[in-house]
Amino acid sequence: MAAAEGWKAEWLESLRDLAAGSPNPCCLAECTGHIWEVGLQRAVPPGRRGALRERLVFANAPWLGLFEFDAAEVLGRPFSAIRGFQGRRTSEASKLKLGSLLITQDHSVEDVRVVNYTGRTSRPLEIQLRVNIFKRAGRNIFFAISVVGHQELNHSDRAADPLAGRIPGAPASMLASWWSAAVAVRRGGSSKEPMCEPEPE
């Protein structure tokens, strides 16, 4: 089994290197528990053995700085189990949207918005995300989750100026090109296993 999944360790090493050099706050999540309903692209319901869920496997320095966490506080955990990361302004709709990425057939998803909280100061941030999805045999394996913008919410639940919290770094369109180019370079290396399936025509 270890030899059969050597590709996963190789992918993770490459993706960590790419995320570490990302111009934006970025984290990597792994989809675990690949058990599917027979004949359907549908995850096993939560609570049943083998249910799909994510776990954080890497966060770059800008991500840790933005959200005020140490790596030891977040790595190996699903987002819902990171202490203080979600709160009353983290809507169920946004949780469902993020959960749906576990089974999406898309290769990337733009403009995902969710409210998360900083670790030390518990400040609510509305964040805008771009998610790149890395697949194998039709299943989603890793997610590169990049923050492309954020705004701090004030105590009256009214958002601040959305431009005030724009992340210094690449906008979503440039970030998409950056990830595609970076993965293409990795494909041209020594790996025998491509790091993602081609986009559908």
Side-chain angles (χ1 to χ4, degrees):
M1 177 63 71
E5 292 205 351
W7 60 269
K8 184 180 288 188
E10 184 177 322
W11 281 21
L12 181 56
E13 180 181 0
S14 294
L15 289 171
R16 279 175 176 158
D17 289 345
L18 294 175
S22 171
N24 288 62
C26 178
C27 66
L28 300 175
E30 178 185 7
C31 180
T32 62
H34 288 303
I35 297 178
W36 302 76
E37 298 286 4
V38 176
L40 299 174
Q41 284 290 308
R42 186 173 66 200
V44 174
R48 279 180 51 183
R49 184 187 174 114
L52 289 171
R53 69 181 315 169
E54 88 293 343
R55 70 183 185 97
L56 203 63
V57 292
F58 179 79
N60 68 7
W63 191 98
L64 294 171
L66 176 64
F67 292 108
E68 302 176 352
F69 286 105
D70 294 326
E73 297 176 294
V74 300
L75 297 186
R77 300 173 183 267
F79 291 111
S80 60
I82 298 173
R83 186 173 182 178
F85 193 55
Q86 297 181 351
R88 68 182 183 86
R89 301 186 195 182
T90 308
S91 70
E92 292 301 316
S94 65
K95 293 178 187 178
L96 288 172
K97 173 67 174 177
L98 290 170
S100 72
L101 297 179
L102 295 171
I103 56 172
T104 184
Q105 296 183 28
D106 294 330
H107 287 71
S108 63
V109 180
E110 303 276 0
D111 199 28
V112 178
R113 293 175 184 265
V114 63
V115 175
N116 287 129
Y117 289 73
T118 59
R120 288 192 300 275
T121 57
S122 299
R123 292 177 297 113
L125 300 177
E126 182 181 24
I127 56 175
Q128 179 185 355
L129 304 172
R130 184 184 200 277
V131 183
N132 291 77
I133 300 154
F134 297 87
K135 302 171 179 284
R136 185 177 190 267
R139 295 178 177 179
N140 299 339
I141 307 297
F142 290 112
F143 306 88
I145 306 167
S146 301
V147 178
V148 296
H150 81 278
Q151 55 189 349
E152 185 170 348
L153 301 180
N154 64 26
H155 295 294
S156 63
D157 281 343
R158 183 168 52 85
D161 178 357
L163 297 179
R166 178 62 61 178
I167 295 290
S173 57
M174 289 180 61
L175 198 63
S177 300
W178 182 87
W179 272 100
S180 297
V183 169
V185 170
R186 290 285 171 170
R187 279 182 182 159
S190 60
S191 174
K192 298 178 181 179
E193 184 81 37
M195 271 210 308
C196 60
E197 296 171 347
E199 295 273 2
E201 297 292 336

